Amino acid sequence: MSTTEELYQHFLKNPVISTDTRNISDGCIFFALKGDNFNANTFAAQAIDKGASFAVVDEAEYVTSERYLLVEDTLSALQDLASHHRKQLNIPVIGLTGSNGKTTSKELVNAVLAERYKTFATFGNLNNHIGVPLSILSIGSDVEIAVIEMGANHQKEIELLCTIAQPTHGIITNVGMAHLDGFGGFEGVKKGKAELYAYLKETQGYTFINRDNSHLMEMSAAAGLSKLIFYGTENGNTIKGELKSSDPFIEVVWTNHEILSTVKTNLTGSYNFENILASICIGDFFDMNPEEINNGLANYQPQNNRSQLTKTESNTVICDFYNANPSSMSAALDNIAVLTADKKIAILGDMFELGAESAGQHKLIAEQAVKSGLDKIIFIGKYFSVLSNDYAGVFFETPAQAIEYLAENKITNSLVLLKGSRGMKLESLLAYL
């Protein structure tokens, strides 16, 4: 069996990891992971043939030469390797989690810090038990600060990710109605996210907290955290901010008790105000001046269909369909309700992973939508469709049916909110808007 130290020596000479034979680069190390419907040990030889220097496998029958490295369990070996690599990095690592805004916050923090430091930030949404190890193993020796996003849909997952990423600093953006099925309700969400606070308490790390958020304040007090850096809208915070405008882009006035500063961003959605404030607070903590912080925020361009304002030939679309849960859906509806437009339309797709609360949460969102003063609401998905007799709106069970409708009933000169869970694949509707 290959030990973690032996794997690490190979990694130092071949510092690129792959878990997918479709993305093999010359000299990489391939980890043959297993899933419910696949066993990548069967692809190990293919990875070697494509140029991988080594293939890490956990079934002896696939070891046919010295280029196959046998371990007890490939996933554990990957995680242990990442943890070992992290121990060699003498840099601040900011662990970031939350129910909503994780990826946007991560991108904003990185955009700010990159104005002064050589940074690394989680690529895309590689934030789970596989993505976090891959992220850690991508941190080079020249990196000065890393921002690691940590996602979870059940208890003990954040705890595991902390043992891999070993954050020296941490932030929970918020806690909301997300992954209720896996966490067992809202209190379960709070308990799961608070695993980051527990780790920071144990390791004497620093924690950035939105003082306006009563849930986070309660959770931090319960964890017994001591190294706290606060941001919010009231006096007494390290960073105090005010939302000056959010129609359609966010403008923030903020102060660090010394300098009053204003920054205009390319982000839409007033719910992103707290994410912006968090990135300001973290930049300030790492000794950045207001000009550097504001430059990072002003130059950041949202992408990946998160709070992204897109101009089509016919409409302005708020592309926020990367994912959705009741908390983020409600915030998106609140946002479009206060934006200025001649005609406003919401196209809402089902929200997943809500378990026993699914029917009730979809009903609450439908109620909010019809009270939002919108000119039209289109609901898509099986959970929303069962409400078709109870609420005004146009209902479809599938995106394909909605596309047929949009092709025949053109939407023009409108501000359109397009939001739903990732599995709804609402991006398919964008061409018809």
Side-chain angles (χ1 to χ4, degrees):
M1 292 283 179
S2 295
T3 66
T4 298
E5 181 56 43
E6 288 169 343
L7 289 178
Y8 194 63
Q9 292 307 311
H10 289 303
F11 171 74
L12 291 176
K13 298 174 185 175
N14 308 275
V16 176
I17 303 295
S18 175
T19 60
D20 189 336
T21 52
R22 292 169 297 184
N23 298 309
I24 296 294
S25 58
D26 286 342
C28 74
I29 300 176
F30 174 73
F31 274 75
L33 302 180
K34 293 176 180 176
D36 293 335
N37 302 308
F38 67 91
N39 178 0
N41 283 278
T42 62
F43 299 111
Q46 185 181 126
I48 294 292
D49 290 342
K50 286 188 171 184
S53 291
F54 297 96
V56 181
V57 298
D58 56 12
E59 296 180 14
E61 63 186 279
Y62 294 98
V63 179
T64 58
S65 74
E66 69 281 356
R67 293 174 65 184
Y68 296 83
L69 307 174
L70 183 64
V71 297
E72 191 73 31
D73 178 83
T74 48
L75 176 58
S76 295
L78 177 67
Q79 293 170 341
D80 290 344
L81 180 64
S83 179
H84 184 74
H85 180 57
R86 168 66 186 98
K87 289 182 173 70
Q88 319 309 311
L89 301 169
N90 186 27
I91 60 171
V93 172
I94 302 167
L96 189 153
T97 190
S99 297
N100 301 307
K102 285 189 300 295
T103 300
T104 297
S105 294
K106 176 256 301 182
E107 295 291 341
L108 288 170
V109 170
N110 185 55
V112 167
L113 293 175
E115 287 292 311
R116 175 178 289 196
Y117 300 101
K118 170 66 175 177
T119 63
F120 173 88
T122 300
F123 179 75
N125 67 328
L126 290 175
N127 61 12
N128 64 4
H129 62 296
I130 297 172
V132 168
L134 292 175
S135 295
I136 294 295
L137 289 166
S138 298
I139 301 176
S141 59
D142 59 338
V143 171
E144 297 173 295
I145 300 178
V147 186
I148 301 297
E149 180 181 334
M150 298 187 289
N153 57 20
H154 58 266
Q155 308 288 341
K156 300 298 184 180
E157 192 165 8
I158 295 295
E159 181 181 283
L160 168 67
L161 299 181
C162 283
T163 65
I164 298 169
Q166 300 155 46
T168 54
H169 303 68
I171 180 171
I172 301 175
T173 58
N174 50 54
V175 285
M177 307 292 280
H179 304 296
L180 299 180
D181 193 20
F183 279 116
F186 181 61
E187 289 302 315
V189 174
K190 290 167 64 177
K191 183 178 178 181
K193 298 302 183 184
E195 290 165 12
L196 174 58
Y197 285 172
Y199 180 87
L200 293 169
K201 165 66 175 176
E202 180 183 342
T203 58
Q204 291 296 293
Y206 291 89
T207 309
F208 304 97
I209 294 187
N210 180 359
R211 199 176 230 147
D212 297 344
N213 190 309
S214 60
H215 295 302
L216 297 181
M217 293 298 290
E218 171 198 329
M219 291 158 59
S220 64
L225 294 170
S226 56
K227 295 182 177 178
L228 302 174
I229 305 96
F230 293 106
Y231 60 95
T233 57
E234 302 295 330
N235 292 326
N237 294 308
T238 298
I239 296 296
K240 175 187 175 182
E242 175 190 343
L243 181 61
K244 186 176 181 181
S245 175
S246 60
D247 191 4
F249 297 113
I250 297 177
E251 185 174 359
V252 174
V253 178
W254 64 275
T255 179
N256 59 1
H257 303 304
E258 296 178 359
I259 300 173
L260 187 67
S261 187
T262 301
V263 59
K264 295 180 180 179
T265 75
N266 298 299
L267 279 164
T268 189
S270 56
Y271 48 84
N272 275 309
F273 167 62
E274 60 188 46
N275 300 329
I276 292 168
L277 217 54
S279 65
I280 292 171
C281 185
I282 292 173
D284 179 79
F285 178 85
F286 285 102
D287 299 320
M288 298 183 66
N289 61 51
E291 183 179 2
E292 292 171 319
I293 292 170
N294 288 346
N295 282 342
L297 290 171
N299 293 327
Y300 172 71
Q301 294 288 344
Q303 50 192 326
N304 299 325
N305 303 312
R306 294 178 173 91
S307 304
Q308 187 175 340
L309 209 62
T310 299
K311 297 275 190 181
T312 67
E313 287 186 9
S314 306
N315 304 288
T316 298
V317 183
I318 303 173
C319 295
D320 199 6
F321 47 81
Y322 183 83
N323 220 335
N325 57 55
S327 299
S328 65
M329 189 77 86
S330 179
L333 286 169
D334 284 342
N335 179 62
I336 192 173
V338 299
L339 294 181
T340 302
D342 292 333
K343 187 163 62 172
K344 292 188 278 190
I345 296 171
I347 303 177
L348 309 179
D350 276 354
M351 303 170 289
F352 296 166
E353 296 185 60
L354 298 180
E357 297 194 42
S358 184
Q361 292 298 327
H362 281 84
K363 184 176 180 180
L364 288 173
I365 292 300
E367 287 178 354
Q368 180 181 350
V370 298
K371 294 176 181 177
S372 296
L374 300 168
D375 295 282
K376 178 180 282 189
I377 310 166
I378 298 174
F379 296 99
I380 306 173
K382 65 178 184 179
Y383 295 116
F384 275 130
S385 289
V386 298
L387 303 172
S388 60
N389 293 326
D390 302 320
Y391 299 99
V394 185
F395 290 81
F396 301 102
E397 286 198 5
T398 67
Q401 293 171 348
I403 286 173
E404 287 184 19
Y405 172 83
L406 292 173
E408 294 294 326
N409 301 269
K410 295 289 187 182
I411 292 175
T412 58
N413 303 316
S414 299
L415 176 64
V416 182
L417 169 64
L418 187 58
K419 187 164 182 66
S421 280
R422 179 85 288 276
M424 290 302 296
K425 299 181 179 179
L426 295 186
E427 62 273 15
S428 61
L429 277 66
L430 193 56
Y432 298 87
L433 297 172

